Amino acid sequence: MADQEFTYADVSEHVSKKDLFLVVHDKVYNASSFVDEHPGGEEVLLDVGGQDATEAFEDVGHSDEAREILDGMLVGKLKRQEGDPKPKSYGGPTAATTSDGASSGVALYAVILIGGVLAFGAYKYLQSSQESH
């Protein structure tokens, strides 16, 4: 069954919760059985149903376990035809590194900000306790 070829037109007909196909890296997956179990919620899958979900799948940074689950839903490969949307180019590790760096920067900023607030609070507390003596 995984040898079957699907066109975009074929995939785009499967967009309901009980019949949901999506494309990731030019492979076609039937995600119907996983909609209710998807940790990100069913809306996430329904939003990309019937279309190329490569970018959405990779941007989230799915675990190896998630990739194994995806492999279990493989039903075939995408047969590209003239006029189809261009394949989603995903930069792979380079793009992941960039997004990880961005989230690390935000986390570092949050730690510095919280540290500053705590230091200011400790300073004010010590200042007020010295004035009461």
Side-chain angles (χ1 to χ4, degrees):
M1 187 163 154
D3 294 338
Q4 193 171 349
E5 288 188 332
F6 295 88
T7 63
Y8 261 115
D10 296 332
V11 173
S12 69
E13 293 173 6
H14 302 269
V15 294
S16 71
K17 184 176 174 178
K18 294 180 193 273
D19 182 24
L20 188 68
F21 280 21
L22 45 91
V23 175
V24 177
H25 296 294
D26 285 354
K27 293 181 181 174
V28 179
Y29 299 92
N30 182 344
S32 310
S33 62
F34 192 66
V35 173
D36 290 329
E37 297 156 34
H38 187 257
E42 65 183 46
E43 309 81 35
V44 177
L45 290 179
L46 292 172
D47 284 348
V48 294
Q51 55 188 311
D52 191 335
T54 302
E55 190 173 358
F57 182 83
E58 294 295 352
D59 283 351
V60 172
H62 282 90
S63 65
D64 290 340
E65 182 183 0
R67 293 173 189 281
E68 287 176 24
I69 292 169
L70 186 66
D71 286 344
M73 296 186 287
L74 181 67
V75 292
K77 62 183 179 180
L78 185 65
K79 181 180 180 183
R80 292 196 174 274
Q81 297 181 322
E82 202 169 315
D84 282 349
K86 298 281 182 233
K88 299 280 185 186
S89 61
Y90 181 73
T94 307
T97 303
T98 304
S99 69
D100 288 348
S103 62
S104 296
V106 171
L108 180 61
Y109 179 79
V111 167
I112 291 170
L113 183 63
I114 291 168
V117 169
L118 290 174
F120 180 76
Y123 170 76
K124 284 299 204 180
Y125 173 77
L126 290 173
Q127 191 177 29
S128 68
S129 66
Q130 283 180 347
E131 289 175 3
S132 63
H133 287 296

